[in-house]
Amino acid sequence: MARDPRYDPLFEPLKIGPVTAPNRFYQVPHCTGMGFQRPQMMAAMRGVKAEGGWGVVCTEYCSIDASSDESPYPSASLRDDDDVHNLRQMTNAVHAAGSLAGVELWYGGRSSANLYSREVALDVTSLLNSATLGIPVQSQAMSKADIESFRKMHSDAAHRAMAAEFDIVYVYGNHDYLLHNFLNPGYNQREDEYGGSLENRVRLLREVIEDVSEIVSGRCAVAVRYSMPMQLDDDPEGLIEAFALIAELPDLWDITVRDYRYEMGSSRFVKEAANQAAVAKVKSMTSKPVVSVGRFTSPDTMLSQVVNGTQDFIGAARPSIADPFLPQKIDQGRIDDIRECIGCNVCYAHDSLGVPIRCTQNPTMGEEWRRGWHPDRIDSRHADESVLVIGAGPAGLEAACALGQRGYRVILAEAEQELGGRINRESRLPGLSEYARVRDWRLGQLAKMENVQIYPDNRLDAEAVLELNSQHVIVATGARWRSDGVGRWSNSAFDGCELKGVVGVEQILDGYMPQGHTLIYDDDHYYLGSAIALKLTAAGVRVTMATPASELAGWSNHTEEHSLTMQALIEAGVEIITARGLVSYKPGEIELGCAYSARRSKIQADVLIPVSARTPDDELWQQLDLRRDEFAARGGLSMQRIGDCRAPGIVAAAVYAGHKAARELGQQEPAFKRDRVVV
Ligand code: ADP
Ligand code: SF4
């Protein structure tokens, strides 16, 4: 298929200083959890994005000195010749596809506790470390000599960037890193020529941009990452005025908004193209090209950004993770094939956990090098064989999709009328509608496959499975939420769990609306408890939430959802109790136990909704497991269980399990390379 000519403006080349981007698709710097520790993994992943049509592909943040070390968060590094060698693998991969490669020079300042290097971090003044880990360490206020050596770090790194054959070199002026902290009058209380007036606070950023520009002049473009206030009339740092002083200095502006909760917002609270007022403001103040992110997944929204002149490049981190081939799909008129990001921030969460990123929508993300998985290609079937997939949740749908793509004869059986498993009910909760894309993209793909037969409304038992005579069976029957409180805090059911006022998550997901004061007990720590709370409060139900942890929904800190979740709950009038585990229920009264001491307390409430562990729905699997001989006698070759029916987890884990099962069917020894340094 050919490209719809309407989208031609997205494919027009554009000059950025001395280099030319082949199109307007720009993968901005984003963390991967790979960093300098896993250079091959990083190079392969970035190379795949270039292959998929991203005209510019950048690194993640790249440390330029040992005193800029944000461990345990992984960063890339451009500190010596070995780093140059490693990063050249990435530039080679990006150039091979005809794209430009960008590198983001990074000095953290107060954000870097330097836990690995044990160096002292420099910053505008002595500031407490800002990492969410609450590390009790401060930065050292920079002397004039430190400022000189800081500039030299950038100059040296710029030379290395050229040696590594990058085309775009970033100066990092936002995200509360050192250069941003100089801009911020709240932190910058220096009395020398780098503090005080706006002119002085901008001085260091200006000098570094000029230093780097001089070094890379004629060879590479200089880009600057910079934030604008979310509300343009609320700018206590003077970011707009500061911008005006340097608006024409670099070759490109990479613009974000000041509040990271919105820049990196989860789809529960922040929708596509949310930062556009700030971006348009910048565009009106500079003649230089502008790129910005907005979790763009709709080609029409992207087009309007470029055509209306809001921005010159469509910046993407998450959309390029969910679909590395997004540009190519627009180019080839395959709009329906675009795998849209759902805004769950599971990618970001894993970087923040110090491991390679993964993606709910794109199971190949992070597996390009170590497993050799490609987001748009998959090996053909190993033999003309049949596969029965039971259960059409995220795991079963993905398995059927990838097996169908490989060319197997696939039957997908689902007990419910509606395909989608957990996605169907959860995506109807407030804020979670974009999760339905996990189901819808796969249904769209399956609809095109003649070799996949789908049977909804078909609950299979072991007998029915055997009678279908499929050579391979994949059981993906999911899991169900427990209502007895068994979870992390307690491995036993609470007293009174069988009483009428105890309402299970399953009932709520089925649409039951409780009456009266409701206590949601959250020992899951992710999105479900708060999403249920917001559904109930919207219907006028009084809600209290209790958790045995020291903070509610703690895991959602990793997905950058926590703060906005808390804000939404507080604004909805939800009372929050922390560090209390569930002990017992009787009508009108719930007893909680202190997480630290033997103290008990009582809450007067009518209804209790425990959100804790799930039970694998593995009865079918257990029955089949007992009948393996019969299965083999009928020509059965392999049988496996995947996803939540094997081990309940997040949606991303189920999609991954489905993909892995499909990829590895018929493979003797699936690849799994390990990055390691051999001395
Ligand atoms: P996962 O996240 O692992 O994909 P889900 O719970 O989302 O799990 O989906 C499991 C799906 O399996 C559900 O849609 C459920 O209706 C379906 N299912 C469960 N048991 C059977 C069965 N015996 N036959 C067919 N489908 C089943
Ligand atoms: Fe989007 Fe979620 Fe994938 Fe991240 S993990 S790219 S937020 S779908």
Side-chain angles (χ1 to χ4, degrees):
M1 276 189 282
R3 167 166 99 217
D4 181 335
R6 274 193 319 124
Y7 297 121
D8 286 354
L10 291 171
F11 292 88
E12 276 170 23
L14 188 67
K15 265 179 86 66
I16 312 173
V19 298
T20 302
N23 60 34
R24 305 305 179 92
F25 297 96
Y26 191 119
Q27 182 246 277
V28 297
H30 72 77
C31 298
T32 61
M34 297 169 190
F36 71 86
Q37 294 97 330
R38 302 172 180 109
Q40 298 114 310
M41 196 184 236
M42 206 261 267
M45 183 272 289
R46 304 282 187 205
V48 162
K49 293 211 204 171
E51 187 196 339
W54 296 90
V56 179
V57 177
C58 300
T59 60
E60 52 253 67
Y61 63 161
C62 229
S63 171
I64 56 172
D65 191 75
S67 62
S68 181
D69 152 28
E70 225 174 30
S71 50
Y73 308 128
S75 70
S77 167
L78 191 47
R79 287 167 38 201
D80 57 28
D81 289 347
D82 289 341
D83 287 334
V84 169
H85 168 81
N86 283 348
L87 285 171
R88 207 180 277 126
Q89 296 184 53
M90 172 193 154
T91 54
N92 285 343
V94 170
H95 290 157
S99 302
L100 299 178
V103 61
E104 184 178 44
L105 309 186
W106 166 70
Y107 191 94
R110 74 181 294 215
S111 74
S112 316
N114 299 330
L115 294 177
Y116 174 73
S117 70
R118 304 183 74 174
E119 294 296 325
V120 168
L122 304 175
D123 211 322
V124 59
T125 177
S126 186
L127 296 164
L128 261 171
N129 179 260
S130 57
T132 42
L133 300 168
I135 304 164
V137 61
Q138 292 188 210
S139 56
Q140 176 222 300
M142 287 167 98
S143 66
K144 284 286 188 49
D146 293 327
I147 288 180
E148 284 311 306
S149 63
F150 174 80
R151 288 177 61 181
K152 186 164 182 309
M153 286 172 205
H154 277 87
S155 301
D156 291 348
H159 282 293
R160 288 186 211 110
M162 286 195 293
E165 295 174 29
F166 281 102
D167 309 288
I168 301 173
V169 182
Y170 267 74
V171 173
Y172 206 155
N174 63 346
H175 289 151
D176 294 290
Y177 293 131
L178 186 142
L179 284 166
H180 187 176
N181 295 341
F182 268 76
L183 296 175
N184 185 343
Y187 297 149
N188 187 344
Q189 282 141 17
R190 298 176 71 95
E191 291 177 355
D192 59 9
E193 67 268 36
Y194 290 94
S197 67
L198 185 69
E199 190 92 40
N200 282 357
R201 285 186 277 119
V202 176
R203 188 178 310 280
L204 186 56
L205 178 56
R206 172 198 290 279
E207 286 174 348
V208 172
I209 298 171
E210 286 170 350
D211 291 345
V212 172
S213 300
E214 196 182 316
I215 289 161
V216 304
S217 171
R219 281 270 308 273
C220 311
V222 175
V224 178
R225 244 187 178 181
Y226 192 86
S227 317
M228 278 284 170
M230 191 75 193
Q231 307 296 334
L232 294 173
D233 55 0
D234 181 17
D235 183 17
E237 290 171 288
L239 290 169
I240 299 174
E241 262 188 280
F243 181 82
L245 298 178
I246 49 176
E248 293 302 314
L249 277 190
D251 300 306
L252 174 125
W253 285 101
D254 181 337
I255 297 300
T256 58
V257 286
R258 182 71 184 85
D259 188 337
Y260 200 63
R261 297 177 310 166
Y262 288 92
E263 179 192 338
M264 189 60 210
S266 101
S267 59
R268 288 180 71 186
F269 305 105
V270 182
K271 300 298 172 197
E272 187 179 24
N275 309 336
Q276 297 319 293
V279 182
K281 177 72 181 169
V282 161
K283 191 70 185 129
S284 72
M285 293 173 72
T286 180
S287 67
K288 302 297 171 136
V290 172
V291 60
S292 181
V293 293
R295 210 166 51 76
F296 297 108
T297 56
S298 144
D300 287 325
T301 311
M302 296 178 206
L303 182 66
S304 69
Q305 296 298 307
V306 170
V307 172
N308 299 343
T310 312
Q311 57 199 75
D312 303 281
F313 289 99
I314 300 303
R318 289 171 287 174
S320 73
I321 293 170
D323 197 340
F325 274 59
L326 183 151
Q328 196 185 89
K329 287 175 182 174
I330 299 176
D331 193 26
Q332 295 176 348
R334 296 165 56 205
I335 306 286
D336 291 350
D337 289 341
I338 294 174
R339 196 167 36 206
E340 291 181 289
C341 166
I342 69 165
C344 60
N345 287 354
V346 158
C347 45
Y348 179 75
H350 286 82
D351 172 73
S352 89
L353 291 163
V355 292
I357 57 171
R358 58 218 58 197
C359 173
T360 303
Q361 278 285 57
N362 172 14
T364 67
M365 176 48 55
E367 305 297 343
E368 300 83 356
W369 179 76
R370 69 175 179 182
R371 292 192 193 273
W373 291 0
H374 189 277
D376 213 38
R377 287 195 297 274
I378 191 164
D379 287 345
S380 298
R381 63 187 181 189
H382 74 291
D384 179 11
E385 289 176 353
S386 57
V387 190
L388 170 63
V389 180
I390 308 150
L397 282 176
E398 174 61 26
C401 240
L403 289 163
Q405 215 185 332
R406 290 190 64 187
Y408 290 100
R409 286 174 281 121
V410 180
I411 294 176
L412 174 62
E414 164 57 48
E416 304 287 326
Q417 290 218 327
E418 197 184 3
L419 306 176
R422 66 181 292 187
I423 294 295
N424 295 335
R425 297 184 301 165
E426 290 181 28
S427 65
R428 290 183 198 122
L429 292 171
L432 292 172
S433 60
E434 287 188 37
Y435 278 57
R437 292 174 175 177
V438 173
R439 172 197 64 206
D440 296 343
W441 183 79
R442 288 165 180 84
L443 292 183
Q445 299 296 302
L446 287 169
K448 298 180 198 171
M449 297 178 189
E450 286 176 3
N451 52 328
V452 181
Q453 291 172 283
I454 304 179
Y455 296 98
D457 207 6
N458 255 287
R459 180 173 293 278
L460 301 189
D461 57 17
E463 197 55 40
V465 171
L466 293 177
E467 276 171 14
L468 279 165
N469 286 332
S470 290
Q471 284 149 306
H472 305 276
V473 170
I474 296 178
V475 180
T477 47
R480 300 191 69 76
W481 290 92
R482 303 179 71 115
S483 58
D484 58 4
V486 166
R488 288 184 178 82
W489 195 70
S490 168
N491 207 37
S492 334
F494 61 90
D495 288 343
C497 65
E498 71 294 347
L499 296 176
K500 194 162 167 275
V502 176
V503 175
V505 169
E506 296 290 336
Q507 276 172 276
I508 298 290
L509 292 174
D510 282 341
Y512 176 78
M513 182 58 70
Q515 305 293 320
H517 181 199
T518 299
L519 183 111
I520 300 175
Y521 173 69
D522 187 2
D523 197 13
D524 172 53
H525 312 292
Y526 196 16
Y527 58 79
L528 202 65
S530 61
I532 291 174
L534 293 171
K535 176 179 165 147
L536 267 49
T537 51
V541 176
R542 179 181 161 207
V543 175
T544 298
M545 290 191 75
T547 178
S550 54
E551 68 177 345
L552 189 70
W555 205 79
S556 62
N557 276 304
H558 298 296
T559 54
E560 196 60 33
E561 283 168 286
H562 186 258
S563 171
L564 291 177
T565 299
M566 295 306 289
Q567 184 181 326
L569 292 173
I570 291 164
E571 286 174 1
V574 175
E575 279 176 65
I576 294 162
I577 299 169
T578 55
R580 294 276 194 285
L582 179 57
V583 176
S584 68
Y585 172 87
K586 65 181 182 190
E589 190 176 276
I590 294 155
E591 190 178 15
L592 300 173
C594 174
Y596 309 119
S597 71
R599 291 205 172 167
R600 297 274 169 101
S601 51
K602 287 181 178 156
I603 303 282
Q604 310 305 310
D606 308 298
V607 177
L608 169 65
I609 305 176
V611 187
S612 54
R614 282 180 286 162
T615 307
D617 198 345
D618 61 358
E619 204 188 314
L620 175 62
W621 166 259
Q622 301 299 349
Q623 287 170 10
L624 287 171
D625 204 27
L626 294 173
R627 298 175 71 173
R628 277 181 183 276
D629 290 346
E630 255 178 276
F631 174 65
R634 285 167 167 268
L637 299 172
S638 79
M639 203 196 287
Q640 60 178 310
R641 62 180 152 165
I642 61 167
D644 291 333
C645 80
R646 183 177 181 200
I650 60 175
V651 176
V655 172
Y656 176 77
H659 194 80
K660 186 165 185 287
R663 280 264 176 189
E664 295 183 351
L665 193 73
Q667 278 188 18
Q668 291 309 314
E669 279 187 47
F672 186 66
K673 287 186 257 179
R674 279 174 61 198
D675 276 284
R676 66 186 127 189
V677 179
V678 180
V679 184

